[in-house]
């Protein structure tokens, strides 16, 4: 099935003091448009071949220099309303009418609009049937797209929860009939059939309740562009934890739902029942035991959701789609969705405080101090020091040694995180992966079982199945292989590779799950990135080699740690990894098909980083801090494997010289200013 997807993100922008920006319309790039107010933008993509490509385009648009000095409000709910909202440069009469009729706060609600078409559908009647199907399943879908559980304003019927107004189990006030972005008194728009829909819509346009068709605020719209039909999804709230406002996983879920529902006509669609259930989930969706009638089957929200996810997983067409859906299912079952995290965070602060904390300052990465041939992490520490009025001198450019001084004292720093805060013995112990594991195990911290092997020793191993073979004392993922210990040829090859880097190697149990780098600074876990193996994703026409070259063209990639990401080198190891998956460099991948280019997830090997601090439970952050304390270090990168589905985890390495740049300029997610944290620790009283 071929699809066309377009994504639009509405967002409020402010200066750094959270004053609304009076946008100069003449300066707007073509894919940025103004919405209700002069500080409410709409970021619009062209039609794309997949949701993931469209989402990446939104991220790229938000990284334009245009946004460099602005803050972007991260919520669908607006800030406390500025009564003097400026829309003089727009269709002033129409917007004055809307403000008077609905109120400014409602008009400043922002969201994600998702435009979709596919080659299975062509006529308006077929797309209308898809709208009916989406409405039927919307009570399930909106659990993954809802992020407005609270309001600043005390609407009738809302309770005071902490410092805001809402309902205890609400997930989307914006999507509800009573409190959301809906028409005054509701509109009698009939979705029972296409004919009734057209008739009721025409009656509204000809009547006195609305000014014109633009004022029909339905959650789904049937639209046409250049003689092509498509549907527009308008119920999606802005995810505050995502730069683009929506996660790749949520987009994959939506696209997967639409593909399935395009082939599945719902039974006995009933407008009033469906809309009542949408309200029920919008206002009570955290209570997953509530009963719903979906296509005549009455069951709990949990049961309906699990059934739909199983169907989508069964019908998934690519590994990327399947992996995303399976991850969503695990998060749903463990109540670890982003809405769950948001509710937890709102237990500690108000909606206003939450928005100000998570407001994004988008800035395009710029090459710092191009005259200095130094690693990016060191340059970031230099910038932090100068921004905070410290004196900085370059002691050795080739060795990345700097001296930072204030009036009281000076500190020498090597490669941004090698400092006198950590003892020499601790550094030596951490350089020995086996000793690191031994110390952590002695402190009751979970590490993989395994053993050490010297070059020339007879191989005696009690491990079976998947194992990790790695050199004792290397960094950057060099010489590491995941292999099957029961396959003698594969096992032998992995051991030989590891011995080319060290005279001693470690063979240890392989843990499935995702790998995370937890950065600990002075007893606090300050940032967490998950790192993805170097990879390419097919576009249906390009070879693997062409996809690698295209990825390497990114300005974020270079060699020698001068930029946030490293080049992907085409070498024998890469060819071996690709070959093991049944491909070679000339293979053309299907659209969305993912192929790994490395056995390790290290950014230094061309991998990608994603900042996920807010999505990782506190227990893992505490364990990383305990690990750093056990090793006796102030600055440390703890590598942890977490399998949320199995409930397993293990610390696989500790790094005494962790890079800062992957945390400050991740490939995805919001960077965290860890350089300033290092600086504060160096000069702590």
């Amino acid at each position: 099935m071929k699809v066309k997807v377009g994504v639009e993100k509405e967002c409020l922008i402010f200066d750094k003091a959270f004053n609304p920006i009076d946008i100069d319309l003449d300066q707007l790039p073509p894919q940025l448009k103004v919405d209700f107010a002069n500080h409410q933008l709409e970021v619009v993509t062209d039609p794309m071949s997949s949701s993931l490509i469209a989402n990446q385009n939104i991220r790229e648009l938000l990284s334009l220099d245009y946004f460099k000095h602005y803050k972007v409000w991260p919520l669908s709910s607006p800030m406390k309303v500025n009564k003097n909202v400026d829309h003089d440069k727009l269709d002033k009469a129409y917007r004055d009418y809307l403000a008077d009729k609905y109120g400014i706060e409602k008009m400043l609600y922002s969201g994600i609009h998702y435009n979709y078409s596919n080659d299975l559908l062509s006529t308006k009647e077929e797309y209308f049937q898809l709208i009916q199907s989406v409405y039927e399943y919307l009570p399930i879908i909106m659990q993954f797209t809802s992020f407005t559980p609270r309001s600043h304003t005390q609407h009738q019927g809302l309770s005071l929860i902490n410092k805001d107004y809402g309902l205890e189990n609400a997930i989307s006030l914006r999507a509800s009939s009573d409190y959301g972005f809906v028409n005054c008194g509701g509109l009698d728009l009939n979705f029972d059939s296409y004919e009734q829909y057209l008739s009721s819509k025409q009656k509204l346009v000809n009547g006195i309740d609305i000014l014109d068709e633009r004022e029909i605020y339905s959650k789904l719209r049937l639209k046409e562009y250049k003689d092509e039909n498509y549907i527009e999804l308008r119920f999606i709230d802005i995810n505050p934890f995502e730069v683009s406002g929506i996660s790749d996983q949520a987009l994959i879920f939506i696209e997967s739902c639409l593909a399935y529902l395009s082939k599945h006509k719902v039974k006995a669609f009933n407008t009033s029942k469906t809309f009542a259930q949408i309200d029920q989930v919008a206002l009570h969706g955290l209570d997953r035991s509530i009963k719903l009638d979906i296509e005549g089957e009455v069951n709990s929200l949990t049961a309906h959701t699990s059934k739909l996810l199983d169907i989508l997983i069964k019908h998934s067409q690519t590994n990327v789609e399947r992996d995303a859906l399976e991850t969503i299912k695990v998060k749903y079952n463990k109540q670890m969705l982003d809405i769950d995290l948001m509710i937890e965070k709102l237990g500690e602060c108000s909606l206003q405080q939450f928005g100000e904390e998570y407001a994004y300052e988008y800035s395009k990465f710029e090459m710092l101090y191009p005259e200095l041939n130094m690693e990016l992490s060191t340059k970031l520490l230099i910038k932090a020091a100068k921004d905070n009025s410290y004196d900085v001198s370059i002691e050795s450019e080739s060795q990345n040694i700097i001296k930072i001084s204030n009036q009281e004292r000076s500190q020498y720093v090597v490669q941004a995180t090698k400092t006198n805060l950590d003892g020499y013995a601790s550094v030596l112990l951490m350089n020995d992966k086996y000793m690191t594991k031994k110390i952590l195990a002695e402190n009751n911290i979970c590490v993989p079982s395994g053993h050490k092997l010297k070059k020339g020793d007879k191989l005696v191993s009690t491990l079976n199945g998947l194992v990790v073979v790695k050199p004792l004392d290397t960094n950057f993922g060099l010489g590491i292989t995941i292999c099957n210990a029961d396959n003698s040829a594969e096992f032998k090859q992995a051991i030989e590779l590891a011995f080319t880097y060290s005279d001693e190697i470690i063979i240890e149990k392989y843990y499935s799950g995702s790998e995370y780098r937890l950065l600990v600074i002075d007893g606090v876990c300050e940032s967490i990135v998950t790192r993805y193996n170097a990879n390419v994703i097919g576009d249906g026409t390009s070879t693997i080699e062409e996809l690698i070259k295209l990825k390497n063209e990114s300005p974020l990639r270079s060699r020698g740690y001068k930029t946030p990401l490293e080049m992907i080198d085409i070498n024998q190891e890469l060819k071996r990894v690709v070959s093991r998956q049944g491909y070679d460099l000339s293979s053309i991948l299907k659209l969305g098909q993912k192929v790994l280019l490395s056995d390790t997830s290290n950014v230094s090997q061309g991998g990608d980083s994603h900042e996920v601090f807010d999505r990782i439970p506190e227990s893992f952050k505490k364990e990383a801090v305990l690990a750093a304390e056990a090793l006796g270090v102030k600055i440390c990168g703890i590598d942890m494997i977490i399998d949320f589905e199995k409930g397993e985890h293990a610390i696989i390495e500790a790094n005494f010289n962790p890079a800062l740049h992957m945390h400050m300029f991740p490939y995805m997610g919001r960077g965290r200013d860890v350089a300033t944290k290092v600086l504060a620790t160096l000069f702590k009283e």
Side-chain angles (χ1 to χ4, degrees):
M1 179 190 302
K2 291 183 178 179
V3 304
K4 286 184 180 178
V5 170
V7 177
E8 304 169 14
K9 180 187 180 182
E10 298 171 322
C11 52
L12 299 171
I13 65 171
F14 302 87
D15 65 19
K16 296 196 176 182
F18 288 107
N19 298 307
I21 301 297
D22 186 13
I23 296 170
D24 186 344
L25 304 187
D26 295 331
Q27 298 300 315
L28 277 183
Q31 288 177 293
L32 303 182
K33 306 179 186 304
V34 171
D35 207 299
F36 171 76
N38 278 3
H39 72 297
Q40 186 178 41
L41 283 182
E42 194 169 42
V43 185
V44 183
T45 74
D46 293 326
M48 304 289 183
S49 58
S50 82
S51 296
L52 296 186
I53 297 172
N55 208 25
Q56 181 59 31
N57 188 228
I58 290 285
R59 294 188 192 105
E60 290 169 355
L61 289 170
L62 287 168
S63 71
L64 291 171
D65 285 338
Y66 181 83
F67 289 97
K68 198 163 193 180
H69 304 293
Y70 301 149
K71 285 194 172 184
V72 180
W73 190 245
L75 301 170
S76 283
S77 304
M79 291 181 66
K80 290 180 180 177
V81 175
N82 182 336
K83 299 298 183 184
N84 299 314
V85 170
D86 182 12
H87 47 251
D88 288 343
K89 299 176 185 176
L90 302 164
D91 184 350
K92 181 170 171 48
Y94 179 58
R95 272 134 181 107
D96 282 344
Y97 157 78
L98 294 177
D100 291 340
K101 183 175 181 179
Y102 295 96
I104 292 173
E105 182 177 29
K106 182 174 287 190
M107 296 314 301
L108 288 181
Y109 261 127
S110 299
I112 303 292
H113 296 174
Y114 181 91
N115 303 310
Y116 175 87
S117 66
N118 66 47
D119 60 354
L120 292 182
L121 310 175
S122 57
T123 66
K124 285 185 171 62
E125 289 83 355
E126 290 172 329
Y127 275 99
F128 181 78
Q129 286 182 2
L130 176 58
I131 285 177
Q132 286 183 318
S133 299
V134 175
Y135 266 128
E136 182 78 6
Y137 281 85
L138 192 53
I140 299 173
I141 296 170
M142 64 193 299
Q143 294 177 96
F144 305 96
T145 62
S146 297
F147 298 96
T148 52
R150 304 277 193 274
S151 170
H152 298 299
T153 308
Q154 187 180 12
H155 300 285
Q156 185 177 4
L158 296 183
S159 305
L160 182 63
I161 300 177
N162 297 327
K163 301 176 182 179
D164 301 303
Y165 297 97
L167 297 174
E168 195 64 44
N169 289 312
I171 60 175
S172 184
L173 299 182
R174 176 175 172 267
S176 70
S177 298
D178 291 332
Y179 313 110
F181 187 64
V182 292
N183 294 95
C184 292
L187 294 178
D188 189 18
L189 196 59
N190 194 315
F191 287 90
D192 285 337
S193 71
Y194 181 58
E195 291 74 18
Q196 288 173 298
Y197 169 75
L198 288 179
S199 175
S200 62
K201 183 178 174 183
Q202 193 60 48
K203 190 181 296 184
L204 287 172
V205 173
N206 294 339
I208 60 173
D209 291 330
I210 64 171
L211 200 61
D212 63 32
E213 188 174 328
R214 291 178 295 172
E215 200 186 330
I216 299 177
Y217 300 135
S218 57
K219 294 175 177 62
L220 298 170
R221 283 180 175 175
L222 176 59
K223 301 187 79 172
E224 182 179 340
Y225 179 69
K226 293 183 178 180
D227 296 327
E228 289 189 21
N229 299 306
Y230 66 96
I231 65 169
E232 180 185 37
L233 281 58
R234 298 169 53 85
F235 58 85
I236 303 169
D237 294 340
I238 293 173
N239 184 335
F241 305 113
E242 292 288 341
V243 170
S244 62
I246 187 167
S247 69
D248 283 348
Q249 286 181 351
L251 281 170
I252 289 173
F253 171 71
I254 292 169
E255 188 173 328
S256 184
C257 284
L258 294 174
Y260 168 68
L261 294 175
S262 294
K263 307 172 188 175
H264 177 82
K265 184 178 179 181
V266 297
K267 308 166 190 172
F269 179 81
N270 181 282
T271 301
S272 58
K273 177 211 77 172
T274 298
F275 281 29
Q277 291 190 155
I278 290 170
D279 270 348
Q280 186 181 9
V281 173
L283 299 179
H284 306 285
L286 288 181
D287 178 5
R288 295 170 180 169
S289 66
I290 57 177
K291 299 294 184 181
L292 298 178
D293 177 351
I294 305 293
E295 294 200 75
E297 179 185 340
V298 178
N299 216 327
S300 69
L301 178 58
T302 299
H304 281 303
T305 305
S306 297
K307 180 179 178 181
L308 177 60
L309 285 170
D310 286 339
I311 290 171
L312 298 181
I313 290 169
K314 180 180 177 182
H315 287 85
S316 57
Q317 298 295 306
T318 68
N319 290 335
V320 172
E321 182 183 5
R322 187 176 299 107
D323 289 347
L325 293 170
E326 288 177 344
T327 300
I328 288 171
K329 184 175 181 180
V330 170
K331 288 182 176 180
Y332 183 79
N333 291 337
K334 293 184 177 290
Q335 294 187 325
M336 290 173 54
L337 296 176
D338 285 343
I339 181 61
D340 299 314
L341 174 61
M342 184 178 182
I343 296 294
E344 179 185 331
K345 296 287 183 184
L346 286 175
E348 304 166 1
C349 62
S350 69
L351 196 63
Q352 182 78 14
Q353 291 167 327
F354 179 91
E356 290 182 7
E357 179 183 350
Y358 283 84
Y360 288 101
E361 291 185 64
Y362 299 91
S363 60
K364 199 171 184 179
F365 171 74
E366 294 179 355
M367 190 68 76
L368 292 172
Y369 313 119
E371 72 278 6
L372 295 177
N373 186 26
M374 304 179 84
E375 292 179 355
L376 177 58
S377 291
T378 300
K379 290 182 177 182
L380 290 169
L381 187 59
I382 292 172
K383 185 177 188 302
K386 289 185 175 182
D387 287 348
N388 287 277
S389 302
Y390 287 83
D391 294 325
V392 180
S393 63
I394 311 300
E395 301 298 316
S396 173
E397 191 170 332
S398 62
Q399 298 299 312
N400 291 278
I401 302 174
I402 61 175
K403 182 172 75 172
I404 306 174
S405 308
N406 63 10
Q407 292 181 346
E408 285 77 34
R409 63 184 186 275
S410 298
Q411 294 279 13
Y412 286 90
V413 183
V414 182
Q415 294 175 333
T417 52
K418 291 179 181 177
T419 73
N420 63 5
L421 300 175
D422 298 327
Y424 188 47
S426 294
V427 171
L428 290 177
L429 289 170
M430 291 171 66
N431 198 41
D432 184 319
K433 293 179 174 61
Y434 188 76
M435 283 304 302
T436 298
K437 286 177 50 181
K438 186 174 186 296
I439 293 169
L440 295 180
E442 289 172 351
N443 284 272
N444 299 313
I445 294 170
C446 185
V447 294
S449 58
H451 57 88
K452 187 165 56 171
L453 187 69
K454 292 182 179 179
K455 186 176 286 188
D457 284 353
K458 183 179 179 181
L459 175 59
V460 179
S461 179
T462 58
L463 296 176
N464 302 105
L466 286 178
V467 297
V468 181
V469 180
K470 57 187 177 184
L472 184 72
D473 54 4
T474 60
N475 293 316
F476 313 122
L478 298 173
I480 298 177
T481 307
I482 299 167
C483 64
N484 189 341
D486 301 324
N487 184 323
S488 57
E490 190 177 294
F491 194 26
K492 181 181 177 183
Q493 187 179 20
I495 290 171
E496 289 175 351
L497 175 64
F499 273 134
T500 63
Y501 290 93
S502 177
D503 290 336
E504 292 183 277
I505 66 173
I506 297 174
I507 303 169
E508 62 186 24
K509 175 186 173 182
Y510 170 74
Y511 272 75
S512 62
S514 299
E515 183 179 340
Y516 299 89
R517 164 65 62 84
L518 295 87
L519 181 64
V520 177
I521 302 173
D522 196 22
V524 179
C525 182
E526 296 287 0
S527 176
I528 304 174
V529 297
T530 182
R531 296 170 296 174
Y532 300 102
N533 300 46
N535 65 85
V536 289
I537 297 177
D539 59 8
T541 59
S542 303
T543 66
I544 291 177
E545 185 169 10
E546 288 169 340
L547 291 170
I548 294 171
K549 290 178 178 177
L550 182 63
K551 202 164 188 178
N552 278 339
E553 289 177 3
S554 168
L556 296 180
R557 294 187 186 273
S558 66
R559 287 187 171 82
Y561 317 108
K562 304 295 193 300
T563 55
L565 300 172
E566 290 293 298
M567 289 284 193
I568 301 171
D569 288 324
I570 298 177
N571 51 31
Q572 288 303 120
E573 179 64 13
L574 181 146
K575 292 176 182 178
R576 182 188 67 80
V577 173
V578 170
S579 175
R580 199 172 62 210
Q581 298 167 80
Y583 305 100
D584 58 36
L585 294 181
S586 64
S587 300
I588 296 176
L589 303 181
K590 296 177 183 177
L591 178 66
Q593 188 175 6
K594 184 177 183 178
V595 167
L596 301 181
L597 307 174
S598 171
D599 276 332
T600 66
S601 59
N602 294 61
V603 172
S604 57
Q605 299 296 309
D608 301 327
S609 61
H610 186 180
E611 222 294 335
V612 292
F613 180 86
D614 291 313
R615 304 182 184 193
I616 302 300
E618 288 298 318
S619 60
F620 298 111
K621 299 171 189 175
K622 290 177 181 177
E623 187 160 353
V625 170
L626 291 175
E629 290 175 351
L631 295 165
V633 289
K634 290 282 189 180
I635 303 173
C636 181
I638 300 294
D639 290 344
M640 185 183 293
I641 297 284
I642 305 175
D643 189 324
F644 291 105
E645 186 169 10
K646 294 181 180 178
E648 295 180 346
H649 76 282
I651 291 177
I652 56 172
E653 277 190 28
N655 299 269
F656 65 85
N657 181 212
L660 302 180
H661 62 266
M662 75 173 81
H663 300 275
M664 297 182 71
F665 288 97
Y667 183 65
M668 289 189 290
R670 187 176 66 152
R672 299 173 74 90
D673 185 9
V674 293
T676 299
K677 300 291 184 181
V678 170
L679 185 68
T681 304
L682 283 168
F683 289 88
K684 186 177 180 181
E685 294 296 332

